[in-house]
Amino acid sequence: RRAMPWWPRACLLGAAAALVVQTVHAASSATPISCPPLGVAVVTGGSRGIGAACSRALGAKGYGVVVAYRSDESAAEQVCREITSAGGLARAIKADVSLESDVKALF
């Protein structure tokens, strides 16, 4: 596979990729998510299945979590509510990771 220069350190977690970064900007605004000490994890496919489990686990470990979803906003928002109700930081952002522009917008 070709290295993606706009992706920081990546660690694949099952079907979801969690990208740990120091700052993440919401695709819909220029407002940065506040960065917890461990950083922010972007979990693609983070609203369902393995991705949702990864999102919850990263939130429980103390990472801020961006739950990146393609189509199921309600599921992504539910995962965010679960993380924040447990004391974590989370935000759902719509992104199609097959589009380079959407991936860049996550950061």
Side-chain angles (χ1 to χ4, degrees):
R1 288 200 272 187
R2 187 177 73 112
M4 302 296 185
W6 64 89
W7 287 15
R9 298 170 296 190
C11 74
L12 295 176
L13 303 170
L19 304 174
V20 179
V21 298
Q22 292 305 308
T23 305
V24 175
H25 293 273
S28 61
S29 74
T31 306
I33 293 174
S34 59
C35 189
L38 291 176
V40 176
V42 177
V43 182
T44 61
S47 64
R48 300 184 311 184
I50 293 170
C54 291
S55 295
R56 291 183 197 100
L58 288 162
K61 293 279 187 186
Y63 288 91
V65 180
V66 173
V67 178
Y69 68 95
R70 187 181 63 180
S71 60
D72 195 348
E73 181 178 11
S74 63
E77 291 294 342
Q78 176 60 35
V79 171
C80 289
R81 281 191 295 276
E82 292 171 16
I83 293 168
T84 56
S85 70
L89 293 171
R91 179 177 287 171
I93 298 179
K94 182 174 179 136
D96 182 343
V97 297
S98 69
L99 301 173
E100 183 177 342
S101 61
D102 280 12
V103 173
K104 285 182 177 181
L106 287 171
F107 300 95

